Amino acid sequence: MRDIQELVAQELEDEEDVLDCVSDGDGEPLDSLEEPLRLDESFPCTIFIAGVPKVSKEKYDKLFGVLSKLINKYGENERDMPWNSEGTETEGCVIATFTKPEDAAQAQQALDGMSLDKKHTFKVVKFDKFNDITNRASEFRPQRNLASYSRADFRSWLMDKKCREQFLLRYQTETEIYWHDTTIGEPALAYGGEREKRLGKIWCDWQVEWSPLGHFLATFHKQGVALWAGPEFTKKIRFAHDGVKHLEFSPTEEYALTWNGTDALENDSQAVRIHRVLTGECVHKCRTPTVAPLGGDFPHFLWSHDGKYFAECSESAISVRETASFELIRDEDGKKKTLKFPDLSTFQWSPKDNLLSVWCLERENNPARLVLVEIPSRRELASRSRTQVEASMHWQSEGDYLCLINTKLSKTKKKGATNLEIFRIREKNIPVDIVEVKDSVRGFHWETKGHRFALLTSDESGHHPKMFIYGLSKEKCEALSFFDLPSNSYNKFFWAPEGQYFVCAAVGHGDLLFGGMTSDNKSLGRTI
């Protein structure tokens, strides 16, 4: 069909005809002219449903009937399931036009993400957005409307010519950053809020902490949290959250979670906020969960090692969300669901893999269980059941091993023998080494990045403290070294950041015991 503009151009081709149409007068005042009629190009009542099976003419009526029952739940409508250009099968979509815009909106929200079967999940959009989606450029070019900053100088202290580290000191109302300078024998002030003091501002209201990778210094204020970075500690971004009490960064520092301290019973929909660190925007809000999986008041959410997932739990389920959309991960049928675990006690993420270790309590005829679950597939990698025990889980820093410490309990809850069950996560079928410990376990500590662990024990009466060092070879787990501790006050154990060396400390009493193990498992001796 010829374009309407071509027809008009042909009719007005003759110049004289054009002049005949021109008025000789001054014309009417512009204010008196009516507004031109505008074509309404919106379709507020129409939705586009993709992800529908493509069928031939023989199956058309059956499929159209099934889809009509689903769509008709949300109001009176007209439906069309178009054919391809050859007319051999349908295009795999449905266009539905409702009589009311609110019915269309309800249908779009309810049907989007619905699974018809294992292979077909609906994607539903308003028809008004269809052209915007189909006309997108093939090459993605993100648009930014929010201010951000450069991370170029965030680790500037690593370029220090004297190879000094920085440490933070907070006292009274002062917040100060110092260089740890061993050459002059005393700390050197790097920044103490001088810029803020000159402007009559308060650098930090009441609490301050480093981010996990050391890029940021976070200061707490009544209105929220501010992040400072760079050689001069300039403010980079802030997270608005009135009455903030706690801050938690994701492992990669891409997100920061703030909590205002309200109880779950208060039902505060703004209690928890998750912010994008680069822009400061709030990307997720929710109420305070009922359970803190590690005990205490905080944290309620645990992050995966790569920051792609975060999870919370109740007494019967774990909710895992992906940070790309902040929605629940989907099951094998494509439905967004929690992971069900009756009598759930706690869970932990592997430090190096998207893998959950879950501990469920014993109830009536159901034994206690340890379950290893892969995320996001939800695949159960291993499971172990135990009866009449109390237990705790301990991951090695590289995710190579998981230790389940379980202590046998009598019917009167009296503690008996303790077993260390070492799960070799990287090996086929995840085999388990079992180490029996006759004394009471007071502390378990994996060597950082290593294959050894330290064990602090005492006898049944709480006396005769001992320290053991165990090592894992390819074949077995065996004791490498042990000795009696000088006193019962030694209650903490710390491996060096790269392993090998350790400190056993009597926290509260001031005594320290230094030691180490060579790579071939020989003791380096000890000093007090």
Side-chain angles (χ1 to χ4, degrees), residues 21-164:
C21 298
V22 178
S23 172
D24 293 330
D26 295 333
E28 300 178 44
L30 292 176
D31 294 341
S32 67
L33 297 178
E34 295 183 2
E35 284 282 339
L37 294 176
R38 300 183 183 276
L39 177 65
D40 185 0
E41 297 180 347
S42 64
F43 295 89
C45 298
T46 303
I47 61 174
F48 183 88
I49 307 173
V52 175
K54 296 181 180 181
V55 296
S56 61
K57 293 181 180 180
E58 291 76 13
K59 296 183 179 180
Y60 180 93
D61 292 338
K62 183 177 181 180
L63 176 61
F64 192 72
V66 172
L67 296 175
S68 296
K69 289 182 180 179
L70 290 174
I71 300 171
N72 289 342
K73 293 180 181 180
Y74 305 101
E76 185 179 346
N77 66 89
E78 295 182 0
R79 301 161 304 286
D80 180 41
M81 190 162 64
W83 297 90
N84 61 14
S85 57
E86 292 81 12
T88 56
E89 66 176 6
T90 57
E91 285 281 15
C93 63
V94 172
I95 300 173
T97 301
F98 291 81
T99 56
K100 300 178 182 178
E102 54 268 28
D103 292 344
Q106 185 181 5
Q108 187 271 331
Q109 185 175 7
L111 295 175
D112 186 36
M114 178 181 290
S115 297
L116 186 65
D117 53 42
K118 291 185 178 181
K119 295 182 178 180
H120 297 91
T121 300
F122 295 155
K123 178 61 181 177
V124 187
V125 297
K126 289 288 191 69
F127 203 76
D128 288 339
K129 295 184 177 180
F130 180 77
N131 286 339
D132 294 337
I133 295 173
T134 56
N135 291 333
R136 288 176 181 169
S138 57
E139 182 179 351
F140 176 67
R141 295 180 180 178
Q143 295 182 352
R144 298 185 56 82
N145 297 319
L146 295 169
S148 61
Y149 48 82
S150 168
R151 295 185 182 226
D153 59 357
F154 279 17
R155 307 199 75 172
S156 57
W157 83 91
L158 294 177
M159 304 299 291
D160 180 56
K161 295 180 180 180
K162 296 182 179 181
C163 301
R164 300 171 297 179

Side-chain angles (χ1 to χ4, degrees), residues 276-447:
R276 196 181 305 277
V277 172
L278 188 62
T279 62
E281 63 179 316
C282 181
V283 292
H284 184 70
K285 300 176 184 178
C286 65
R287 297 172 175 82
T288 303
T290 56
V291 176
L294 302 183
D297 296 327
F298 187 83
H300 300 93
F301 295 88
L302 303 182
W303 298 85
S304 64
H305 76 287
D306 55 6
K308 290 184 177 180
Y309 304 94
F310 68 102
E312 62 176 297
C313 72
S314 64
E315 295 179 351
S316 60
I318 299 176
S319 300
V320 182
R321 298 179 185 273
E322 52 184 353
T323 53
S325 63
F326 291 91
E327 294 182 348
L328 291 173
I329 60 173
R330 298 177 185 270
D331 63 11
E332 59 181 5
D333 296 324
K335 296 180 180 179
K336 304 169 187 175
K337 285 187 176 181
T338 60
L339 286 77
K340 302 294 185 182
F341 293 101
D343 304 309
L344 175 65
S345 174
T346 186
F347 74 93
Q348 296 176 14
W349 286 99
S350 162
K352 293 294 182 180
D353 303 283
N354 289 331
L355 179 67
L356 289 175
S357 60
V358 184
W359 178 251
C360 299
L361 299 175
E362 181 178 2
R363 285 287 186 274
E364 298 176 352
N365 295 327
N366 297 320
R369 293 178 69 224
L370 171 71
V371 187
L372 297 176
V373 184
E374 185 182 61
I375 300 297
S377 69
R378 300 167 174 255
R379 185 164 62 98
E380 190 173 297
L381 302 183
S383 176
R384 298 289 187 276
S385 297
R386 297 290 180 266
T387 57
Q388 293 183 313
V389 297
E390 66 174 18
S392 60
M393 300 180 294
H394 303 267
W395 279 98
Q396 180 246 16
S397 63
E398 305 306 295
D400 297 332
Y401 308 103
L402 171 68
C403 179
L404 177 70
I405 303 178
N406 63 80
T407 302
K408 200 71 176 177
L409 299 176
S410 67
K411 293 183 178 180
T412 59
K413 302 301 180 181
K414 183 178 179 180
K415 294 183 180 181
T418 297
N419 284 338
L420 310 180
E421 299 186 32
I422 312 294
F423 291 77
R424 296 176 180 259
I425 303 298
R426 308 293 180 199
E427 298 183 24
K428 186 178 180 181
N429 298 325
I430 311 183
V432 181
D433 293 273
I434 298 179
V435 178
E436 184 176 351
V437 181
K438 296 181 180 180
D439 291 337
S440 299
V441 176
R442 302 170 60 203
F444 179 93
H445 307 274
W446 282 108
E447 178 185 17

Side-chain angles (χ1 to χ4, degrees), residues 95-255:
I95 300 173
T97 301
F98 291 81
T99 56
K100 300 178 182 178
E102 54 268 28
D103 292 344
Q106 185 181 5
Q108 187 271 331
Q109 185 175 7
L111 295 175
D112 186 36
M114 178 181 290
S115 297
L116 186 65
D117 53 42
K118 291 185 178 181
K119 295 182 178 180
H120 297 91
T121 300
F122 295 155
K123 178 61 181 177
V124 187
V125 297
K126 289 288 191 69
F127 203 76
D128 288 339
K129 295 184 177 180
F130 180 77
N131 286 339
D132 294 337
I133 295 173
T134 56
N135 291 333
R136 288 176 181 169
S138 57
E139 182 179 351
F140 176 67
R141 295 180 180 178
Q143 295 182 352
R144 298 185 56 82
N145 297 319
L146 295 169
S148 61
Y149 48 82
S150 168
R151 295 185 182 226
D153 59 357
F154 279 17
R155 307 199 75 172
S156 57
W157 83 91
L158 294 177
M159 304 299 291
D160 180 56
K161 295 180 180 180
K162 296 182 179 181
C163 301
R164 300 171 297 179
E165 289 286 353
Q166 290 179 341
F167 67 91
L168 168 71
L169 183 63
R170 170 76 179 170
Y171 62 95
Q172 297 176 349
T173 60
E174 297 294 326
T175 302
E176 296 174 344
I177 310 296
Y178 286 90
W179 289 106
H180 178 236
D181 197 332
T182 57
T183 60
I184 62 176
E186 62 182 29
L189 182 65
Y191 186 69
E194 293 81 10
R195 179 179 56 250
E196 285 68 37
K197 291 176 181 178
R198 287 195 301 269
L199 298 174
K201 297 181 179 180
I202 298 176
W203 189 22
C204 177
D205 279 349
W206 62 281
Q207 183 175 320
V208 63
E209 61 183 71
W210 295 104
S211 64
L213 299 180
H215 290 121
F216 302 99
L217 181 69
T219 57
F220 285 63
H221 308 268
K222 295 178 181 179
Q223 299 84 5
V225 173
L227 298 188
W228 312 75
E232 297 179 354
F233 290 93
T234 53
K235 181 159 51 173
K236 300 298 181 180
I237 212 77
R238 69 183 185 89
F239 310 136
H241 197 173
D242 289 341
V244 61
K245 297 293 189 300
H246 290 278
L247 169 70
E248 179 188 23
F249 285 89
S250 66
T252 58
E253 297 186 353
E254 185 177 356
Y255 299 98

